[in-house]
Amino acid sequence: MACLHTADILLPAEGIDRKRWPVIACDQFTSQPEYWKQVEEYVGDAPSTLRIIYPEAYLGNDDEAAYARRLDAVQKNMEHYLSDGILTEEVRQGYVLTVRETEAGIRCGLVAALDLEAYDYTKDSESLVRATEETVQERIPVRVGIRKHALVESPHVMMLLDDAECRLLEPLYQNREKLRRLYDTELMLGGGKVCGYAVEGIEAEILTDKLAELEQKGAEIFLAVGDGNHSLAAAKACWERLKESLPEKELESHPARYALVEVINLHSPSLEFEAIHRVLYGGRIDAVMEEFRRYLELWSGCGTEAACNEGEADVVFVQGECRAGIRLSHTEGHLAVELLQHFLDGYLGKHPALELDYVHSPEAAAELSREGKACSMLLRSIDKSSLFPAIQAGGVLPRKTFSIGTEAQKRYYMECRRL
C-alpha cells in the first residue's frame, strides 16, 4: 500500500493576487494577535486562504457562538471560491514541487496526497507514517469541526522524509526549469518567497516509482510528521468516522481517505530545528523553579545545578528583569523538554488558574514575561539527526518538542484539494 499519491490540485485562478492568497499556518503566532491583525489588514477584501482557515489565536477569545460563526464563514467562503472559479484545477493527478526561500536558505518540498490508512499517531504505532510528538486529544475536536464539513483542504502539514542520499527532492529541484511553473510570489510579513512547479505526466509517473522505491527500502518509518500533527490527526479522525458508513467500493478512492501534505527532506541544510519555549501565565519564577527542582529530585532522580551562563543552561527561566539558567544532571537519556513538560502538566493540575502557552521565538517568550505576569522557560533545540532513531526507540516525543524553523519559516497555505 503506497503512502503517497498524486492528486488533483487546485490553485487560485489567474488574476488573483498571489501575494494575498497564501497565509501562514493557523497554529502560528497564537500569543500574538497583533500578527493576525496585520494579516487581516494586508489581505483586505482580496481572496485569501485566510478566509478558509481558523487562526488559533482567536480560539481563546471565541465563545461557542463566535466559533460557530467562524466555521459557517469558512464553509461559505470555500463554496464561493469553488463556484465562482477563484479556485481552479491546475494539476491533474500530479504533484507540486515547492521551492521556499527563507533566511535559512532554500527548502524544497513535494505536495502530495497522503493515505491516512498508512498513518497512526498513537504512541506505540508501528505504521510507516508516524507522529513525532505526543498528540493532545483535547486539541483534535476543534479541528475535526473545521474539516468534517469542509469542501476543500489546504495543507500546513509538513512530513519529514529520511532521505540522506538526497534521491527524491534534490534531483527535482535541479531540473525544475523543465517543469511548468505554477506560481512565483513573495510571502507576506517576512515569510520570504515561494515558487511552485507542476510534476505531471511522465515526470509524475517516474516520481511515483521513486517514492515506492524509497518506501520499500526496509526502514521502519517512511515519513514522520514535522509540522501540523494535530491537523493530520483530525483528518485521520474524520476518515475513521466516515469510512464506517461507506460501501466497500468507495473505501479506496474516497477523497477523505487522503490528506494533502508537503514532504521535505530531513537532511536539507536549510531545514533547521528550533526549540519551542513555554510561557506560564500567572506563574512566579521563584516558585516554579523551586517546584521544578523538587520534581526532578523526587520523581526522576535527576538533579540540577546552576549554569555558569545561559549558553550552558538546559532551561532558562525568565520573568521581568530576572533570568536564571539551570543545567540538568544525571538525566539518563531524558530530554530537558520531556522533563519540563511532564513537570508543567502536573504543576498545572495543582494550579488550575495558571495558563500555559507555547512560543517559537525566545525573544517573544521573554517579552511576554517582561511585565512579570508570566514566567517564561527557554529551551535549546534537539539535534534533528536524532529524530528518527528516537521515534523508533521510544515512540513519540513530548508535545511541542521542536519546531521546523522559526514561525516565519512555517508553511504558508497555497495549494488546495477538493474533499
Side-chain angles (χ1 to χ4, degrees), residues 234-245:
K236 175 75 169 181
C238 287
W239 168 240
E240 290 296 326
R241 293 177 186 177
L242 178 61
K243 74 179 185 180
E244 295 177 357
S245 62

Side-chain angles (χ1 to χ4, degrees), residues 111-343:
V111 178
L114 173 70
D115 187 348
L116 294 168
E117 287 289 329
Y119 160 68
D120 183 1
Y121 60 79
T122 58
K123 184 175 182 179
D124 299 322
S125 169
E126 296 182 355
S127 61
L128 285 174
V129 183
R130 303 186 199 177
T132 50
E133 298 179 346
E134 176 188 356
T135 301
V136 183
Q137 294 295 326
E138 292 79 9
R139 294 185 63 190
I140 295 178
V142 170
R143 301 183 188 219
V144 167
I146 297 168
R147 186 180 178 90
K148 66 182 179 180
H149 297 303
L151 299 177
V152 299
E153 65 169 346
S154 186
H156 73 261
V157 176
M158 291 198 288
M159 307 297 299
L160 300 174
L161 176 68
D162 189 9
D163 182 18
E165 298 176 7
C166 300
R167 298 170 57 192
L168 185 73
L169 295 175
E170 289 71 16
L172 273 178
Y173 174 73
Q174 294 299 326
N175 294 288
R176 66 192 182 282
E177 295 306 327
K178 297 179 181 179
L179 304 174
R180 179 167 61 96
R181 185 175 294 194
L182 297 167
Y183 54 81
D184 183 350
T185 184
E186 294 179 0
L187 297 169
M188 67 178 73
L189 301 180
K193 181 180 178 181
V194 67
C195 296
Y197 301 85
V199 184
E200 51 197 345
I202 187 65
E203 287 86 2
E205 294 177 14
I206 293 171
L207 185 58
T208 297
D209 290 340
K210 282 188 177 182
L211 286 167
E213 182 181 346
L214 283 171
E215 182 178 329
Q216 295 169 8
K217 70 178 183 180
E220 291 183 30
I221 304 175
F222 177 50
L223 296 170
V225 184
D227 261 343
N229 180 59
H230 289 89
S231 291
L232 195 60
K236 175 75 169 181
C238 287
W239 168 240
E240 290 296 326
R241 293 177 186 177
L242 178 61
K243 74 179 185 180
E244 295 177 357
S245 62
L246 291 177
E248 187 172 350
K249 63 180 181 180
E250 293 185 27
L251 289 176
E252 187 172 343
S253 60
H254 197 283
R257 174 170 171 161
Y258 303 90
L260 209 59
V261 301
E262 181 180 21
V263 179
I264 54 179
N265 188 359
L266 177 68
H267 300 276
S268 170
S270 64
L271 181 66
E272 299 178 337
F273 274 23
E274 301 283 347
I276 300 179
H277 312 287
R278 276 63 176 161
V279 178
L280 185 63
Y281 292 99
R284 292 188 299 106
I285 187 171
D286 53 349
V288 176
M289 289 186 68
E290 178 60 30
E291 284 293 319
F292 184 46
R293 287 194 175 98
R294 189 178 305 168
Y295 162 83
L296 291 171
E297 293 170 358
L298 297 178
W299 183 84
S300 65
C302 300
T304 63
E305 51 187 282
C308 297
N309 57 65
E310 291 189 10
E312 297 177 353
D314 292 302
V315 186
V316 177
F317 291 79
V318 182
Q319 188 167 52
E321 298 300 320
C322 180
R323 298 176 70 98
I326 64 172
R327 184 168 52 215
L328 307 187
S329 60
H330 310 298
T331 58
E332 298 181 355
H334 293 289
L335 297 172
V337 63
E338 174 188 4
L339 296 170
L340 180 62
Q341 187 62 51
H342 284 165
F343 158 72

